[in-house]
Amino acid sequence: MTATTTAGTTGTTRTAKATDAAGPTARTAAPVPVLWLALLATPIAAGANAPVLILPGMARSLGVATGTAAWLLTAFGWAMAVGTPLLAGLLRRRGLPAVLRLSTLLVLAGTLLVVVSPWLALTLFGRCAQAAGGAGLVAAAISLAGTARRMGVISAGFGMLGATGPLLGRALADAASWRIALTVSALSLLAVPAVGRRAGAANPPAPGRFDGRGAALLTALATALVLLPTAPLAALGGALVAAALLALHVRRRPEGFVPAALLRRPVFVVSALLALALSASYFTLLFSVPRLLADRAGWDTASAGTGQLAALLAGSALSWLLAAASARMSRTAVRTVLVSLGALAALAGIFATSGPLLLAATAAGVFTASAANAVLSTHAVAAASDPAQRPAAIGLFTLCYQLGGAFGPAVAALLVLGS
């Protein structure tokens, strides 16, 4: 928030500098209330996880095998991963109103397809549209958050709604239809008018042409990485080719879709890679712990599900405390806390045989992942010396976090679920 007129020119200048250092928000007369931003960003987390417990029923309704219907989960994750940097690129070049309009259109169109489609292929298109539109709304919310404390509210809400998504989806499916369960992410549209009115001139369009080739190469790279668990050799080859071509393109066009200046900033690179690692660790625990509770501690399915839900809610809520305290901590201290707790969570997942310890590992995993998303995103975005590059920093950082969500289940399947 800008200084009042009684504070004088010096106070105004100091506040403006502090605003620039705080994170991705452009200067506005008054920040958008964080609860509106949370409503804008978090329903997609529940929407992403809503099919988990109702997938067999969805498969029967669509006339396909459950394994085939699981592509609804993969497609959603892919579209959100690639949609985040693409919509952030639109935010950079066309500004916030364009992103809100396109994201709203995608969510509405995708939700309509999900509700009326009798075929899997059309339902897949609907889920992809929902995910891409939701990714744009998440990018918009992050761009307006401005501080780690406000990002902490968004990130904690993301974790909590993600944790309740499977149970919410099953409840809606039992009460009405699985199609209604897949419309949960559309609740984010309730915040669009308020955010659009209150955002003011945040994120004005940057000059220059849209780098279509850079966007296409990054999309190809992200797609290959997302497909690593399902087609390892082909995906690895595609990822290497796409990465090489993207590196050459960045050298030719350093101010393009992937700004070279960001990749040269250690703060950005370390923040993004650490977020990827903590996200992958958390999602590995998320999918492994229910099986480990049964195998090592003898818990039944109901007890394991209830315990894990409580752990996820507690860890997500507590992550806000680190986000709120991070403004008084050095970057090194924040990273030390995240790495230490993340390592302890992973070690507990590997060696613990006690049910409470496994649940503590789950809580620590979601705590570090959510806190990393909140705090490290502000570090990553602050690394952009040019304010016009901040939407690109948001998109690339969030892409890394989303890739962790793609790798985690694959690691769990390899180490635990397949045994």
Side-chain angles (χ1 to χ4, degrees), residues 137-167:
L137 297 178
V138 171
I142 293 175
S143 74
L144 294 168
T147 66
R149 187 185 185 96
R150 283 160 57 86
M151 259 304 298
V153 175
I154 297 172
S155 187
F158 217 88
M160 295 173 75
L161 284 183
T164 59
L167 293 179

Side-chain angles (χ1 to χ4, degrees), residues 200-395:
N203 298 110
R209 294 182 298 108
F210 181 75
D211 181 13
R213 181 175 298 178
L217 289 173
L218 182 64
T219 300
L221 175 59
T223 301
L225 292 174
V226 168
L227 292 176
L228 271 174
T230 54
L233 291 179
L236 180 60
L240 292 174
V241 171
L245 293 175
L246 181 60
L248 291 174
H249 179 74
V250 170
R251 291 187 65 182
R252 279 199 250 24
R253 190 167 175 182
E255 298 298 325
F257 192 81
V258 180
L262 277 180
L263 303 182
R264 298 191 191 106
R265 298 298 299 272
V267 171
F268 175 82
V269 174
V270 171
S271 297
L273 293 180
L274 183 54
L276 190 155
L278 292 171
S279 173
S281 176
Y282 158 57
F283 281 101
T284 300
L285 287 167
L286 179 67
F287 285 86
S288 300
V289 164
R291 172 72 174 270
L292 296 177
L293 285 170
D295 292 348
R296 297 179 185 175
W299 288 27
D300 59 33
T301 302
S303 299
T306 302
Q308 188 177 38
L309 176 61
L312 291 172
L313 292 175
S316 298
L318 290 173
S319 67
W320 181 83
L321 297 178
L322 181 59
S326 64
R328 300 185 297 274
M329 301 169 64
S330 67
R331 287 175 178 169
T332 300
V334 170
R335 292 174 186 168
T336 299
V337 171
L338 292 175
V339 171
S340 299
L341 286 178
L344 287 174
L347 289 172
I350 294 171
F351 297 111
T353 58
S354 163
L357 282 180
L358 288 170
L359 292 181
T362 302
V366 71
F367 174 88
T368 55
S370 298
N373 192 30
V375 180
L376 298 183
S377 64
T378 61
H379 294 179
V381 175
S385 55
D386 182 358
Q389 293 178 350
R390 290 178 179 178
I394 292 170

Side-chain angles (χ1 to χ4, degrees), residues 6 40 42 48 84 151 157 185 203 289 337 343:
T6 58
L40 188 72
T42 57
T84 299
M151 259 304 298
S185 59
N203 298 110
V289 164
V337 171

Side-chain angles (χ1 to χ4, degrees), residues 82-132:
V82 301
T84 299
L86 291 176
L87 272 294
L90 180 66
L91 179 67
R92 178 184 177 189
R93 292 300 180 189
R94 294 292 183 264
L96 184 66
V99 171
L100 291 177
R101 286 195 297 269
L102 179 59
S103 298
T104 298
L105 180 62
L106 286 170
V107 172
L108 285 174
T111 301
L112 180 62
L113 283 178
V114 166
V115 169
V116 304
S117 170
W119 307 296
L120 175 64
L122 200 57
T123 308
L124 283 172
F125 277 114
R127 289 293 282 168
C128 288
Q130 285 180 314

